[in-house]
Amino acid sequence: MMLSVTKRKDEDERAIGELFYLMVKEIADVTFQQSMMILQEVMLASIKTVFHATDKQLQVIAQDFVNRLPEYMRSALQKSAA
């Protein structure tokens, strides 16, 4: 992405403000998605260790967890799973 920004800056006289904004937004989304996945994985690992949950129980807990999240968080998790 950084090379694309540099190339556009060198070849295109238009302002890169919008391109920069889109790039920053995409990077922030990836970070958020990764963070949500890490939190979910750590939570499930803890539940498995502390409560000796089965894989089936972990699936139910994970789905319940996702269902309780606000819509924007659910969407981010679904995008990262795809």
Side-chain angles (χ1 to χ4, degrees), residues 11 13 15 21 27 44 46 50 52 55 59 67-68 72:
E11 295 176 0
E13 296 300 319
Y21 173 75
I27 290 171
L44 292 174
S46 292
V50 173
H52 308 289
D55 288 339
Q59 288 175 351
N67 290 341
R68 292 173 186 267
Y72 74 96

Side-chain angles (χ1 to χ4, degrees), residues 42-54:
V42 169
M43 177 196 68
L44 292 174
S46 292
I47 290 169
K48 186 173 187 171
T49 300
V50 173
F51 297 107
H52 308 289
T54 65

Side-chain angles (χ1 to χ4, degrees), residues 1-59:
M1 286 183 356
M2 296 302 287
L3 291 174
S4 294
V5 170
T6 302
K7 182 178 178 186
R8 179 170 174 169
K9 183 178 177 185
D10 290 343
E11 295 176 0
D12 195 341
E13 296 300 319
R14 294 178 287 174
I16 62 168
E18 182 179 353
L19 181 61
F20 177 77
Y21 173 75
L22 293 172
M23 183 180 73
V24 169
K25 183 178 177 187
E26 182 177 331
I27 290 171
D29 288 345
V30 169
T31 301
F32 177 77
Q33 290 171 354
Q34 290 173 339
S35 298
M36 288 298 298
M37 291 305 295
I38 290 168
L39 286 172
Q40 185 178 14
E41 289 169 9
V42 169
M43 177 196 68
L44 292 174
S46 292
I47 290 169
K48 186 173 187 171
T49 300
V50 173
F51 297 107
H52 308 289
T54 65
D55 288 339
K56 176 116 174 113
Q57 290 170 324
L58 287 177
Q59 288 175 351

